[in-house]
Amino acid sequence: MMESGRLEAFSDGVFAVAITLLALNLAVPGPGHGPLARQLVGHWPSFAAYVICFLTIGIIWVNHHTLFKNFAKIDRTLLFLNLLLLFFVVAIPFATATVAAYLGRGGADASLAAAIFQGVFEGMSLSFGLVFWWSIRREHLKIARTTAGARPAIIRFGIGNVAYVVAIGIAFLSAPAGQPATRAG
Amino acid sequence: MMESGRLEAFSDGVFAVAITLLALNLAVPGPGHGPLARQLVGHWPSFAAYVICFLTIGIIWVNHHTLFKNFAKIDRTLLFLNLLLLFFVVAIPFATATVAAYLGRGGADASLAAAIFQGVFEGMSLSFGLVFWWSIRREHLKIARTTAGARPAIIRFGIGNVAYVVAIGIAFLSAPAGQPATRAG
Amino acid sequence: MMESGRLEAFSDGVFAVAITLLALNLAVPGPGHGPLARQLVGHWPSFAAYVICFLTIGIIWVNHHTLFKNFAKIDRTLLFLNLLLLFFVVAIPFATATVAAYLGRGGADASLAAAIFQGVFEGMSLSFGLVFWWSIRREHLKIARTTAGARPAIIRFGIGNVAYVVAIGIAFLSAPAGQPATRAG
Amino acid sequence: MMESGRLEAFSDGVFAVAITLLALNLAVPGPGHGPLARQLVGHWPSFAAYVICFLTIGIIWVNHHTLFKNFAKIDRTLLFLNLLLLFFVVAIPFATATVAAYLGRGGADASLAAAIFQGVFEGMSLSFGLVFWWSIRREHLKIARTTAGARPAIIRFGIGNVAYVVAIGIAFLSAPAGQPATRAG
């Protein structure tokens, strides 16, 4: 088994890099591509996606530590479920860049880009759910200072997390889903 | 509540990545774009911005730890105020690249780029102020070894930080603000 | 000698950045380069390479900590053998991008790209083997809590690691090796 | 004063990101730019620079920890001298990319690129020297377990470090310095 601290430090590194790489998508084309103001306005999906993804990774990070601080040891299954979670976290900058590039265009491409974005977020949410489900079955891994009140708090976080992801999915993706016919073609 | 160490480790990761990504803006166009010396001279806003941003993130990092080393536990509000601070730190490479690309051009674009740069720095300064304001109201979170002399030191840092940001804002942005008419058009 | 914790923290940072940079290769050309669906399908080697490399770095990271948690101190030789291992880990995003760009093209270029990819992975596997071989000879560096059962577990990890790398090498590279004649030219 | 561990963790993050970003320079132009083998051969300065920079950052990292593990507290001056050191570390990927792009071309551009590369490395070496010089004057900061034998070891590291940087500077830069006339024009 591995110390919980190792897993948290590595996950923190991945979260920190992913959250910082998100900002690389903000770059506008630069001089020679029209007024800066128009470039920034046309670039709004990137800014919206940056805010949403930053918040989401931030919240996943908070939930990640709320869960793992209850453990002193990590077994092999939790280790790989955590890698699965990080797999989707690392894919977020890609999904964000793709949806930001295609969101305003409508048509099949916008729907596909939205589906990729939603798929990555649902994969992240699902793998966090798996980590959560496995961890509440491993009572013997927990450290002594876990009080009886910890589990409801964890469950509350888990539900809130899923609800959050569903909510932003609906909010962010309802636009392209509702208007493909008007812009396509 | 979360252990203070977790928050510091994650914040350190974000600071470290943001400070290193700044240097990506230094790249010159390369062979086939004229003499290297002329490319470097024409690229001076990137170098100036790199030095300023490196110093600023470095100082914010120093202040961040001066503040958080007084805490053993972090409550939920501090956690989100810290995420807000990191939100602006992560946006610095974008703001730097934009202002460096437009600073020497004058006109409305240079003013807008300067406003974005200033906005990100003021957002960072303001969110650091919020973290600071919230933390001095949470006496019960502090660890025992905090001496009576800590608070004046923190306040001094806070004031110095704000003064620093204002000063560089004025110094760096006074040039484009004063000369838009001569270069625009 | 160096504390083991320092080496692990630095290695974790390198692993975390390398695993996150992998996802930069996923970016598709974007609007104006044909339907998104066709871009994604034509981009399949990048996605396959991402999954394989993520798994491989993840497993190397697990093995790295399984090995180093048995040590309290690191001698100079282990330090440089670990740097050699990281040297190959850091080269993985490059090898992945190259093989993903050339894999579907067949011919001498695909074979060369496959050889580079395989070379980086074999270098990583070999340097991990060197770290492993050196570490089992340094009994005096180990911390007291290392039980007699630790070494078989380490050996099992080492063998599994090599077998894994060989297996993916064969699986991933058999395609271009078998079909250069049909696509080349 | 700051705990030594904070400074080391932040510096580790910067070292880890800088060492990983180095590999971004390895990317070849890709399909449509001639045979891969010729691209790789023409790209040799990037590979040579990658190996040299990886080794250099690795050795600076080893020396950094050899020095700082003797300290329990860091004063304000050391903090800023360390930021100065990191300033040059972060600039290494830029200096490497520039020298790799211009090294094979000869002429004034190659000399300038070599001077930039050498300047960044000398800045790094000089700032490490400043950190070293300041630290041996601050006896009161040191932790109790520092034995009498530590200082000679530190001095040996310091000298070795400077010698190393000088040596690679001469080795790497002698080529363009000796042949500008043959290729320029």
Side-chain angles (χ1 to χ4, degrees):
Chain A
M1 291 196 210
M2 177 181 276
E3 308 267 323
S4 166
R6 293 283 106 220
L7 183 141
E8 288 176 281
F10 178 67
S11 304
D12 272 6
V14 172
F15 283 127
V17 179
I19 219 169
T20 316
L21 287 183
L22 276 176
L24 290 183
N25 294 328
L26 296 181
V28 293
H33 295 82
L36 178 58
R38 199 182 299 159
Q39 287 185 45
L40 290 170
V41 169
H43 214 55
W44 74 265
S46 290
F47 294 101
Y50 170 61
V51 173
I52 289 170
C53 292
F54 189 96
L55 275 176
T56 307
I57 296 185
I59 288 168
I60 288 280
W61 171 73
V62 172
N63 290 344
H64 192 268
H65 283 302
T66 304
L67 191 63
F68 278 98
K69 76 177 178 191
N70 295 308
F71 292 87
K73 296 281 178 187
I74 305 294
D75 68 2
R76 197 142 258 260
T77 307
L78 259 182
L79 210 58
F80 281 103
L81 290 177
N82 188 64
L83 275 179
L84 186 69
L85 172 63
L86 294 181
F87 179 86
F88 288 107
V89 169
V90 167
I92 286 179
F94 159 69
T96 304
T98 303
V99 83
Y102 284 98
L103 190 67
R105 301 185 158 250
D109 285 355
S111 299
L112 180 55
I116 291 169
F117 187 80
Q118 202 165 17
V120 168
F121 273 74
E122 281 178 3
M124 187 171 73
S125 186
L126 185 67
S127 52
F128 190 82
L130 284 172
V131 166
F132 175 61
W133 165 79
W134 183 263
S135 65
I136 60 173
R137 291 178 55 211
R138 305 278 114 173
E139 290 295 337
H140 61 282
L141 295 175
K142 288 190 181 171
I143 55 179
R145 66 175 169 79
T146 307
T147 63
R151 202 191 296 181
I154 293 171
I155 293 170
R156 208 167 52 235
F157 277 128
I159 293 169
N161 178 42
V162 172
Y164 172 83
V165 171
V166 170
I168 63 151
I170 292 168
F172 196 57
L173 303 174
S174 59
Q179 64 181 21
T182 57
R183 293 215 189 175
Chain B
M1 292 197 208
M2 178 180 276
E3 307 267 323
S4 166
R6 293 283 106 219
L7 182 141
E8 287 176 282
F10 178 67
S11 304
D12 272 6
V14 172
F15 284 126
V17 179
I19 219 168
T20 316
L21 286 183
L22 277 176
L24 290 183
N25 293 328
L26 296 181
V28 293
H33 294 82
L36 178 58
R38 199 182 299 160
Q39 287 184 46
L40 290 170
V41 170
H43 215 54
W44 75 264
S46 290
F47 294 100
Y50 170 61
V51 173
I52 290 170
C53 292
F54 190 96
L55 274 177
T56 307
I57 296 184
I59 288 168
I60 288 280
W61 170 74
V62 172
N63 289 344
H64 192 268
H65 282 302
T66 304
L67 191 62
F68 278 98
K69 76 178 177 189
N70 295 309
F71 292 88
K73 295 280 178 189
I74 305 294
D75 68 2
R76 197 143 259 261
T77 307
L78 260 183
L79 209 57
F80 281 103
L81 290 176
N82 188 63
L83 274 179
L84 186 68
L85 172 63
L86 294 181
F87 180 85
F88 289 107
V89 169
V90 167
I92 286 179
F94 159 70
T96 304
T98 304
V99 84
Y102 283 99
L103 190 67
R105 300 186 158 250
D109 284 356
S111 300
L112 180 55
I116 291 169
F117 187 81
Q118 201 165 17
V120 168
F121 272 75
E122 280 177 4
M124 187 171 74
S125 185
L126 186 67
S127 53
F128 190 82
L130 284 172
V131 166
F132 175 61
W133 166 78
W134 183 262
S135 66
I136 59 172
R137 291 179 54 211
R138 304 277 114 173
E139 291 294 337
H140 62 282
L141 295 175
K142 288 191 182 170
I143 54 179
R145 66 174 170 79
T146 306
T147 64
R151 202 190 296 183
I154 294 171
I155 292 170
R156 207 166 53 235
F157 277 129
I159 293 169
N161 178 42
V162 171
Y164 172 83
V165 171
V166 169
I168 63 151
I170 292 169
F172 196 57
L173 302 174
S174 59
Q179 63 181 22
T182 55
R183 294 216 189 173
Chain C
M1 291 197 209
M2 178 181 275
E3 308 267 323
S4 165
R6 292 285 106 221
L7 182 142
E8 287 176 282
F10 179 66
S11 304
D12 272 6
V14 172
F15 284 126
V17 179
I19 219 168
T20 316
L21 287 183
L22 276 177
L24 291 183
N25 294 327
L26 296 181
V28 292
H33 295 82
L36 177 58
R38 200 183 299 159
Q39 288 184 45
L40 290 170
V41 169
H43 214 54
W44 74 264
S46 290
F47 293 101
Y50 170 61
V51 173
I52 289 170
C53 292
F54 189 96
L55 274 177
T56 307
I57 296 184
I59 287 168
I60 287 282
W61 170 72
V62 171
N63 290 345
H64 191 269
H65 283 302
T66 303
L67 192 62
F68 278 98
K69 77 178 177 189
N70 296 309
F71 291 88
K73 296 280 179 189
I74 304 294
D75 67 3
R76 197 144 257 262
T77 307
L78 259 183
L79 210 57
F80 281 102
L81 290 177
N82 188 63
L83 274 179
L84 185 68
L85 172 63
L86 294 181
F87 179 86
F88 288 106
V89 169
V90 167
I92 286 179
F94 159 69
T96 304
T98 304
V99 83
Y102 283 99
L103 189 67
R105 300 186 159 252
D109 284 356
S111 299
L112 181 56
I116 291 169
F117 187 80
Q118 202 166 17
V120 168
F121 273 75
E122 281 177 4
M124 186 170 74
S125 185
L126 186 67
S127 52
F128 190 82
L130 284 173
V131 167
F132 174 61
W133 165 78
W134 183 262
S135 65
I136 60 172
R137 291 179 53 211
R138 306 276 114 173
E139 291 294 335
H140 62 282
L141 296 174
K142 287 189 182 172
I143 55 179
R145 67 174 168 79
T146 306
T147 63
R151 202 190 295 181
I154 294 171
I155 293 170
R156 208 166 52 235
F157 278 129
I159 294 169
N161 178 42
V162 172
Y164 173 82
V165 171
V166 169
I168 64 152
I170 292 169
F172 196 57
L173 302 174
S174 58
Q179 63 180 21
T182 56
R183 293 214 189 175
Chain D
M1 292 197 207
M2 177 181 275
E3 307 268 323
S4 166
R6 292 284 106 218
L7 182 141
E8 288 175 281
F10 178 66
S11 304
D12 271 6
V14 172
F15 284 126
V17 178
I19 219 169
T20 316
L21 287 183
L22 276 177
L24 290 183
N25 294 328
L26 296 182
V28 293
H33 295 83
L36 178 59
R38 199 181 302 159
Q39 288 185 44
L40 290 170
V41 169
H43 214 54
W44 74 265
S46 290
F47 293 101
Y50 170 61
V51 173
I52 289 170
C53 293
F54 189 96
L55 275 176
T56 307
I57 297 184
I59 287 168
I60 288 282
W61 171 72
V62 171
N63 289 345
H64 192 268
H65 283 301
T66 304
L67 192 63
F68 278 98
K69 77 178 177 189
N70 295 309
F71 292 88
K73 296 280 178 189
I74 304 294
D75 68 3
R76 197 143 259 261
T77 307
L78 260 183
L79 209 58
F80 281 103
L81 290 177
N82 188 63
L83 274 179
L84 185 69
L85 172 63
L86 294 181
F87 179 86
F88 289 107
V89 169
V90 167
I92 286 179
F94 159 69
T96 304
T98 303
V99 84
Y102 284 98
L103 190 67
R105 300 185 159 252
D109 285 356
S111 300
L112 181 55
I116 292 169
F117 186 80
Q118 201 165 18
V120 169
F121 273 75
E122 281 178 3
M124 186 170 75
S125 186
L126 185 67
S127 52
F128 190 81
L130 283 173
V131 166
F132 175 62
W133 165 78
W134 183 261
S135 67
I136 59 172
R137 291 179 52 211
R138 303 279 113 173
E139 290 294 336
H140 61 282
L141 295 175
K142 288 191 180 171
I143 54 179
R145 66 174 169 79
T146 307
T147 62
R151 202 191 296 183
I154 293 171
I155 292 170
R156 206 166 52 234
F157 278 129
I159 293 169
N161 178 41
V162 172
Y164 173 82
V165 170
V166 170
I168 64 151
I170 292 168
F172 196 58
L173 302 174
S174 59
Q179 63 180 22
T182 56
R183 295 214 189 175

